[in-house]
C-alpha cells in the first residue's frame, strides 16, 4: 500500500463508502505470547468518507518517499517461496470493503487481505499466539507520516493460497482487530508481495479472482495490453510518476490494499491541470499517530496518463500523503505483473471505469454503539440537506440504530454511501431531524461528457 518498505495505513479513492479506520496499538505493539485480553485499538479515519482503505507495508531497506529510510531490517520478514516449481492457481476473492482471500493456515481457513502495496505479509497477534509462533526478533514499521514502531516478526512454516503451498513465509505481527469495524468480519492477516509474487501475478478483480503463477507462460494467453516497466524498487508494484512534483519522484502504487480509485498527495495534486475541486471535511492520520481534522479535495483526473492508462474523468482524492491506483479502479482492468521482465501490463476489463462521481456525499463511521458522520462533501446532497460533520445517525430507513446489532451497524457504515437513496434521522445537540438523500452527480460536466459518448457515464458503486 505504501512505499517500498513502509507500513502504510492508506486512504482510499473517492468512491469508497466511508472513512476508513486506521487502527493503532495504544502504547506500541503487544509483546508476543502475553496472555490476557488486549485493549481494542482505537479506530481512526484516514481519508474521506467516500474513500478509505487499508494499506500496510512492512518497513525495510529504502523508503525515502514515505519518510522512512531505515537502517535496520529483519530479513526473516521478507521470506517465503512456493513449494512447487511450476504452478498456476486461481484464488477467489471478495471485495466488500477490501480485497480478501481465504488462506489455509494452522488447519483452518482464515481471511487475509490481498495487498500488492505491502512489501511483506502481516498476521494478527491473536492468530500468532494461537499458532504458537515464536518471534524472530522485530522489524520497524513506518506509516506514511514517517512514524516508526517495532513489531514482532514470525516465520510461518506452511500456508496455502488457492491450493498453492507456500513455505517459510515471513509475517509481521500487528493488532488487526480494528479491521473488523471496516470489513465487518474478522481478518487474520494480510498477504504482501513476499506471499503473492513468485514469478507472475495477475489481478482479475472484475471476475473476482487473483492468479499466482511461476511465470507468465503459465497464465492464460492475452494479446495486446498496455505495458509499463515496474518502477523500482520492485519489492512492490508501482509505475513511474506521471508528472514531476519536486526533486523526489512520486511513483504510483498499484495497490489492492487501498479501497480506492485514485489517491494523490498534495504535491502531485498542485501540479495537475485540474478544473473544479470540491472540499470534504474528514480526518486523517498515520497508523502510529492520532486522528486530526483534515480538509481533503475531490476532483476528476485530468488528461494525464498513469502507467499508459487514460484515466481522464475518474474520481480522485487529494491530500492523503500517497499516490495510489486502488482496487476500486483496478477491478476495471486485468493487471499482470511479470517479475522476470519487470513489467506490468493492463488490459481493459468487461466494464470500463466510471467517470465523474455519483454520491450521497457523506461518510459514516462506527463509534462504539453509535454511527457518526465523519466525512462530509461540500455541495453534496448530504450537505445540501443540512447534515453536518459530527451528526449522530438515529435511524436508517426508519430502523433505530440503537436496536441494531454491532454487525448490522457495521454494514450500515460500510455500505451507506453505495445506496441510490436513503432516509435518515440525525441528531445534533439534542435536536433530531429527518432527511431524505438521493445520490447525485458531483461533477455533472464530466458525467455529461461521458453520457455524450466521450466515456462511460458515472454510475453507483
Amino acid at each position: 500500500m505504501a512505499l517500498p518498505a513502509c507500513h502504510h495505513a492508506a486512504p482510499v479513492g473517492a468512491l469508497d463508502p466511508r472513512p476508513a479506520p486506521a487502527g493503532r496499538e495504544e502504547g506500541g505493539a503487544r509483546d508476543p505470547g502475553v496472555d490476557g485480553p488486549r485493549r481494542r485499538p482505537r479506530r481512526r479515519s484516514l481519508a474521506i468518507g467516500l474513500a478509505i482503505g487499508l494499506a500496510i507495508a512492512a518497513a525495510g531497506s529504502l523508503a525515502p518517499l514515505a519518510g522512512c529510510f531505515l537502517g535496520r531490517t529483519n530479513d526473516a520478514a521478507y521470506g517465503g517461496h512456493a513449494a512447487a516449481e511450476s504452478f498456476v492457481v486461481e484464488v477467489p476473492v471478495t471485495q466488500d470493503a477490501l480485497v480478501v482471500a481465504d488462506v489455509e493456515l494452522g488447519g483452518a481457513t482464515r481471511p487475509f487481505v490481498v495487498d500488492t502495496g505491502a512489501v511483506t505479509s502481516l498476521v494478527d497477534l491473536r492468530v500468532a499466539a494461537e499458532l504458537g509462533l515464536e518471534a524472530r526478533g522485530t522489524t520497524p514499521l513506518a506509516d506514511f507520516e514517517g512514524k516508526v514502531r517495532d513489531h514482532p516478526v514470525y516465520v510461518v512454516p506452511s500456508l496455502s493460497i488457492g491450493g498453492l503451498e507456500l513455505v517459510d513465509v515471513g509475517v509481521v505481527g500487528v493488532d488487526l482487530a480494528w479491521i473488523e469495524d471496516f470489513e465487518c468480519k474478522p481478518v487474520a492477516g494480510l498477504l504482501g508481495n513476499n506471499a503473492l509474487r513468485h514469478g507472475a501475478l495477475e489481478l482479475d478483480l472484475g471476475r473476482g479472482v487473483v492468479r499466482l503463477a511461476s511465470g507468465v507462460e503459465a497464465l492464460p494467453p492475452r494479446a495486446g495490453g498496455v505495458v509499463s516497466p515496474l518502477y523500482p524498487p520492485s519489492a512492490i508494484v508501482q509505475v513511474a510518476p506521471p508528472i514531476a512534483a519536486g526533486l523526489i519522484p512520486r511513483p504510483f502504487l498499484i495497490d489492492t490494499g487501498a479501497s480506492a480509485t485514485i489517491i494523490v498527495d498534495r504535491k502531485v495534486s498542485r501540479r495537475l491541470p485540474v478544473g473544479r475541486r470540491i472540499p470534504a471535511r474528514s480526518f486523517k492520520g498515520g497508523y502510529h499517530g492520532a486522528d486530526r481534522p483534515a480538509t481533503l479535495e475531490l476532483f476528476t483526473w485530468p488528461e494525464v496518463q498513469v502507467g499508459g492508462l487514460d484515466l481522464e474523468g475518474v474520481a480522485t482524492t487529494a491530500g492523503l500523503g500517497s499516490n495510489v491506483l486502488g482496487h476500486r479502479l483496478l477491478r476495471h482492468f486485468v493487471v499482470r505483473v511479470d517479475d522476470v521482465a519487470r513489467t506490468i501490463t493492463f488490459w481493459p476489463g468487461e466494464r470500463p471505469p466510471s467517470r465523474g462521481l455519483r454520491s450521497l456525499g457523506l461518510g459514516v463511521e462506527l463509534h462504539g454503539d453509535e454511527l457518526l458522520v465523519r466525512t462530509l462533501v461540500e455541495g453534496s446532497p448530504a450537505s445540501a440537506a443540512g447534515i453536518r460533520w459530527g451528526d449522530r445517525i438515529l435511524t436508517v430507513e426508519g430502523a433505530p440504530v440503537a436496536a441494531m446489532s454491532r454487525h448490522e451497524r457495521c454494514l450500515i457504515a460500510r455500505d451507506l454511501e453505495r445506496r441510490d437513496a436513503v432516509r435518515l434521522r440525525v441528531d445534533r445537540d439534542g435536536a433530531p431531524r429527518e432527511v431524505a438523500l438521493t445520490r447525485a452527480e458531483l461533477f455533472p460536466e464530466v458525467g455529461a461528457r461521458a453520457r455524450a459518448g466521450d466515456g462511460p457515464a458515472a454510475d453507483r458503486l
Side-chain angles (χ1 to χ4, degrees):
M1 312 206 165
L3 289 148
C6 281
H7 170 102
H8 163 144
V12 299
L15 293 182
D16 200 35
R18 65 180 181 124
R24 70 182 172 95
E25 294 172 13
E26 309 277 1
R30 176 177 180 262
D31 291 335
V34 176
D35 294 328
R38 289 181 301 147
R39 194 165 30 173
R40 188 180 187 89
R42 183 171 63 86
R43 296 189 48 201
R44 281 186 278 103
S45 300
L46 276 190
I48 160 166
L50 312 176
I52 295 267
L54 167 72
I56 299 178
S61 53
L62 298 177
L65 299 182
C68 51
F69 185 99
L70 302 177
R72 56 192 178 87
T73 62
N74 187 330
D75 290 342
Y78 308 106
H81 62 274
E85 291 188 6
S86 179
F87 61 87
V88 58
V89 296
E90 190 166 276
V91 183
V93 295
T94 61
Q95 300 172 71
D96 295 323
L98 305 170
V99 180
V100 176
D102 284 340
V103 171
E104 299 296 326
L105 173 62
T109 302
R110 307 173 192 268
F112 272 61
V113 175
V114 175
D115 186 358
T116 56
V119 181
T120 190
S121 301
L122 305 180
V123 68
D124 185 80
L125 289 168
R126 294 167 296 183
V127 176
E130 174 193 334
L131 298 176
L133 299 177
E134 294 185 5
R136 306 283 186 93
T138 63
T139 197
L141 295 184
D143 66 17
F144 72 91
E145 295 183 318
K147 296 182 176 67
V148 181
R149 289 184 184 173
D150 286 344
H151 288 255
V153 174
Y154 308 99
V155 174
V156 175
S158 174
L159 61 82
S160 178
I161 311 170
L164 174 66
E165 183 185 9
L166 303 180
V167 297
D168 297 332
V169 180
V171 294
V172 178
V174 175
D175 188 343
L176 297 178
W178 59 272
I179 297 182
E180 186 172 352
D181 285 348
F182 184 54
E183 180 67 18
C184 300
K185 64 183 178 185
V187 170
L190 177 149
L191 299 172
N193 280 269
N194 68 320
L196 295 171
R197 291 169 61 190
H198 305 282
L201 171 69
E202 187 168 273
L203 308 174
D204 195 352
L205 300 181
R207 292 185 172 88
V209 296
V210 171
R211 299 180 184 95
L212 282 59
S214 52
V216 292
E217 66 281 352
L219 291 167
R222 298 183 187 277
V226 177
V227 183
S228 292
L230 283 174
Y231 193 84
S234 59
I236 52 175
V237 184
Q238 55 185 5
V239 295
I243 60 170
L247 295 177
I248 299 176
R250 285 174 161 76
F252 273 57
L253 278 169
I254 307 303
D255 191 357
T256 59
S259 183
T261 48
I262 305 174
I263 307 165
V264 295
D265 64 26
R266 293 198 184 279
K267 287 193 174 182
V268 170
S269 172
R270 286 197 295 266
R271 288 164 174 79
L272 287 172
V274 173
R276 191 163 58 93
R277 298 171 185 257
I278 302 177
R281 184 181 180 188
S282 189
F283 270 86
K284 70 175 182 178
Y287 180 80
H288 300 311
D291 275 345
R292 63 187 184 278
T295 298
L296 308 176
E297 289 183 333
L298 301 182
F299 56 85
T300 58
W301 190 258
E303 196 175 349
V304 174
Q305 291 191 344
V306 183
L309 300 178
D310 175 12
L311 303 176
E312 184 179 3
V314 174
T316 304
T317 303
L320 295 168
S322 304
N323 297 293
V324 168
L325 302 184
H327 83 76
R328 293 188 181 276
L329 174 67
L330 298 175
R331 65 188 179 186
H332 298 287
F333 299 90
V334 176
V335 183
R336 179 178 291 180
V337 179
D338 184 341
D339 288 318
V340 175
R342 304 284 194 209
T343 59
I344 180 168
T345 306
F346 299 89
W347 289 271
E350 295 180 354
R351 184 182 177 196
S354 300
R355 315 288 166 155
L357 176 61
R358 296 185 66 237
S359 173
L360 299 176
L362 81 166
V364 176
E365 189 174 345
L366 183 61
H367 273 246
D369 294 333
E370 295 185 331
L371 291 176
L372 302 182
V373 176
R374 297 285 279 177
T375 297
L376 189 69
V377 179
E378 186 176 298
S380 67
S383 176
I387 292 179
R388 296 294 176 262
W389 186 93
D391 282 358
R392 183 164 58 103
I393 296 181
L394 303 178
T395 68
V396 179
E397 298 293 353
V401 171
M404 297 178 183
S405 67
R406 185 174 184 84
H407 182 68
E408 290 171 329
R409 288 191 291 268
C410 182
L411 292 177
I412 294 282
R414 189 189 74 188
D415 298 336
L416 181 66
E417 191 17 67
R418 302 181 185 186
R419 301 189 184 204
D420 285 324
V422 67
R423 291 183 301 109
L424 303 173
R425 185 172 177 82
V426 300
D427 175 74
R428 186 186 320 135
D429 300 326
R433 56 192 297 265
E434 301 276 350
V435 295
L437 306 179
T438 301
R439 180 183 296 272
E441 174 57 64
L442 302 186
F443 297 94
E445 65 280 10
V446 176
R449 288 201 304 270
R451 286 187 292 273
D454 294 338
D459 61 358
R460 69 180 182 86
L461 293 173

